[in-house]
Amino acid sequence: MAGIVASASWPQIARMDKRICLVTGATDGVGKATALELGRRGFQVVMAARDPKKAEGVAKEIGADVIACDLASLKQTRALAETFKRRHPRLDVLVCNAGVFLPERTLTKDGFETTYQVNYLSHFLLTQLLLGELDKSDDGRIINLSSSVHSMARFDPDNLQSEKKFSVMGTYAASKLFMLMFTEELAKRLAGTRVTANAVHPGIVRTPMMKKAPGAFRIITYLALPFSITPERGASTSVYLATSPEVRGVSGAYFVNSKRTATKNALDTPDNRALLWDLSLEAIA
Ligand SMILES: NC(=O)c1ccc[n+]([C@@H]2O[C@H](COP(=O)([O-])OP(=O)(O)OC[C@H]3O[C@@H](n4cnc5c(N)ncnc54)[C@H](OP(=O)(O)O)[C@@H]3O)[C@@H](O)[C@H]2O)c1
């Protein structure tokens, strides 16, 4: 269950003047580096952590609030949003960063394929639940971690959860395509509001996800190590999107190296985005 971790004294240390960000998967890799940098830049950081103990060091360093949440559970995702709303007056930046890269098809307790739920569906739900809080900000920003591998993914409405076919990269890449398509559809639906949504490829980053890649991908990622970047550099595009005045009002775009970049997937069409949205709403109903 979501609950207070960093913070029996939390309400006393909250500062109303700081911009507030919520980062999922803030206990390791890119998300941890993002949380640290935003904290150092004066944000009030809220870390969503599957393992709150793992968040303690960073939380102490930057005075972050920690809310426990396993994104493999829709119930815990709803509790995360509720706890956030109880403790914080609004949300300025939501970074949907947590992700997994799994060796096999497994189901969560909710009955969804794990990669689909953790990487995509729970972030879809969390965003829906926090849109009202983002709307209270004068410059609400949603930052979704996609990946360059979105280009090799298939959008098959009958295989969203790898029901017909699981493959290590295919399933992961599909979840990253869904994050991109969701971002684009969300931006369209948010047009005319002060809330924006953009997607990010962080680069090939030396994180546990890369270093512990499953099966044959361990060899590929090992060979890619010399070309990989640090988590701090991997976080730089998310930090740019969270902080830069240059991107105020920019929405529905995909960023690599802090630059707007074209997406590459012929199946990422307006019709498919709308279909994914409807199927996702059904899934969380
Ligand atoms: N690394 C790359 O080269 C690369 C490239 C493109 C895109 N990305 C994307 O960037 C994002 C960050 O990746 P990373 O490389 O930093 O990964 P990472 O080092 O493996 O960190 C993943 C984070 O997600 C959290 N997480 C995993 N399952 C969770 C769950 N069920 N509930 C809540 N939190 C959960 C982890 O928590 P624990 O600490 O408890 O494990 C950790 O904080 C991901 O969305 C990934 O797809 C990464």
Side-chain angles (χ1 to χ4, degrees):
M1 284 287 289
I4 295 179
V5 173
S7 53
S9 59
W10 168 248
Q12 288 77 49
I13 59 171
R15 289 194 29 199
M16 297 296 286
D17 56 329
K18 287 186 158 193
R19 283 176 65 70
I20 303 165
C21 67
L22 171 61
V23 184
T24 68
T27 46
D28 222 322
V30 174
K32 180 178 173 183
T34 303
L36 269 171
E37 184 57 24
L38 291 179
R40 287 171 186 150
R41 291 191 190 204
F43 273 76
Q44 176 56 66
V45 177
V46 183
M47 302 169 71
R50 153 169 78 171
D51 175 1
K53 274 218 146 310
K54 211 174 153 183
E56 278 173 3
V58 172
K60 202 166 168 204
E61 179 174 339
I62 58 172
D65 180 21
V66 180
I67 304 177
C69 175
D70 184 344
L71 292 162
S73 158
L74 293 185
K75 190 174 166 200
Q76 289 195 30
T77 303
R78 289 181 199 280
L80 164 63
E82 281 313 309
T83 306
F84 180 89
K85 286 187 212 175
R86 259 202 327 275
R87 292 189 195 166
H88 300 279
R90 62 170 195 285
L91 178 57
D92 297 295
V93 178
L94 171 62
V95 189
C96 294
N97 166 89
V100 288
F101 184 28
L102 298 178
E104 58 190 9
R105 185 172 193 275
T106 57
L107 296 184
T108 65
K109 283 189 184 147
D110 293 337
F112 296 107
E113 190 280 318
T114 308
T115 310
Y116 166 81
Q117 182 167 356
V118 172
N119 291 14
Y120 167 65
L121 189 66
S122 288
H123 285 123
F124 176 88
L125 172 63
L126 183 64
T127 305
Q128 305 291 344
L129 296 172
L130 291 176
L131 278 178
E133 305 313 295
L134 284 152
D135 203 39
K136 292 179 191 165
S137 171
D138 61 353
D139 183 12
R141 301 182 182 195
I142 299 164
I143 300 162
N144 286 337
L145 271 283
S146 179
S147 167
S148 60
V149 301
H150 78 268
S151 61
M152 62 175 76
R154 287 197 58 75
F155 175 77
D156 176 353
D158 297 323
N159 196 46
L160 293 182
Q161 299 183 53
S162 309
E163 300 93 331
K164 290 195 294 193
K165 183 177 184 323
F166 175 91
S167 81
V168 172
M169 183 49 90
T171 298
Y172 172 76
S175 73
K176 297 287 114 181
L177 174 63
F178 302 161
M179 282 301 269
L180 179 64
M181 293 168 72
F182 163 47
T183 309
E184 294 165 324
E185 182 66 20
L186 180 63
K188 189 179 118 187
R189 290 173 189 244
L190 288 173
T193 74
R194 290 175 301 186
V195 182
T196 60
N198 291 293
V200 169
H201 167 59
I204 306 297
V205 195
R206 276 191 297 283
T207 63
M209 179 180 286
M210 185 197 177
K211 290 191 257 179
K212 295 181 196 156
F217 288 97
R218 184 84 56 94
I219 301 166
I220 297 169
T221 54
Y222 179 77
L223 294 173
L225 268 180
F227 313 102
S228 62
I229 58 176
T230 61
E232 291 70 32
R233 263 192 72 196
S236 61
T237 302
S238 297
V239 171
Y240 168 77
L241 284 173
T243 56
S244 175
E246 285 169 13
V247 286
R248 187 177 179 132
V250 173
S251 198
Y254 171 64
F255 284 80
V256 182
N257 282 328
S258 303
K259 298 245 163 2
R260 203 177 171 142
T261 304
T263 59
K264 287 186 218 145
N265 193 308
L267 297 166
D268 178 12
T269 63
D271 282 354
N272 282 343
R273 288 176 213 149
L275 177 58
L276 178 65
W277 184 280
D278 289 345
L279 293 171
S280 307
L281 279 183
E282 268 174 40
I284 59 169

